Amino acid sequence: MQREQVKTGGCLCGAVRYEIDGPLRDIISCHCGQCQKTSGHYFAATATPKEHFHLTKDEGLKWYSSSGYAERGFCSECGSSLFWRMKDGSHQSILAGSLDGDTGLKTSHHIFVADKKDYYDIADGIPQYDTYPEDLKSG
Ligand SMILES: [Zn+2]
């Protein structure tokens, strides 16, 4: 957790905008098959406690139910992938690329690397996990 100043972000066309006024978690990169499909590559996401996340424009926002427990938020106007959240409201991830400008964040984990595609290598020295490590489940 780091950074307390207000950060902004949104989709490509501007039909979804948000502000974050709390700490942002470092980036977790997810290489699972669902994240490959929704992002076109892999998913790099941060998160903040929900009281610090504020949608300021949600005209384009749609939620796709991607599993029994999770759904993925995207802009129905421009197609940008934006969020991943638990249906029970316990957690929401925010795609790092949707933040405006520099993030000040670092990548802390690569997860579901056993499912990654064959056209790239992960060679940044950051810890890799074949699934979702237990120690992340509180985040
Ligand atoms: Zn949009």
Side-chain angles (χ1 to χ4, degrees):
M1 295 285 191
Q2 51 191 254
R3 293 272 179 153
E4 302 281 345
Q5 81 242 42
V6 173
K7 284 280 196 190
T8 59
C11 68
L12 180 60
C13 76
V16 183
R17 294 289 301 162
Y18 61 81
E19 290 182 0
I20 294 166
D21 60 7
L24 285 172
R25 183 197 72 195
D26 273 337
I27 307 296
I28 295 174
S29 293
C30 182
H31 301 262
C32 84
Q34 286 195 356
C35 284
Q36 290 169 20
K37 289 291 189 189
T38 194
S39 69
H41 187 31
Y42 64 84
F43 204 82
T46 182
T48 193
K50 64 181 156 194
E51 63 270 24
H52 295 297
F53 176 81
H54 312 283
L55 276 170
T56 52
K57 194 171 177 190
D58 65 356
E59 280 171 21
L61 184 60
K62 286 243 165 70
W63 290 93
Y64 171 69
S65 176
S66 54
S67 72
Y69 57 89
E71 54 194 356
R72 293 168 184 268
F74 66 99
C75 178
S76 61
E77 298 296 325
C78 69
S80 300
S81 290
L82 297 165
F83 313 118
W84 180 100
R85 72 180 179 190
M86 294 290 288
K87 288 180 179 174
D88 67 6
S90 62
H91 179 76
Q92 175 173 291
S93 295
I94 302 155
L95 279 189
S98 71
L99 287 162
D100 298 334
D102 286 337
T103 67
L105 301 173
K106 292 188 172 359
T107 300
S108 62
H109 300 73
H110 291 286
I111 63 172
F112 291 103
V113 297
D115 300 331
K116 84 167 189 68
K117 283 255 190 296
D118 56 3
Y119 64 84
Y120 64 96
D121 295 314
I122 305 170
D124 53 17
I126 292 163
Q128 300 182 25
Y129 302 87
D130 279 345
T131 58
Y132 192 78
E134 283 297 323
D135 64 315
L136 292 179
K137 286 192 173 153
S138 56

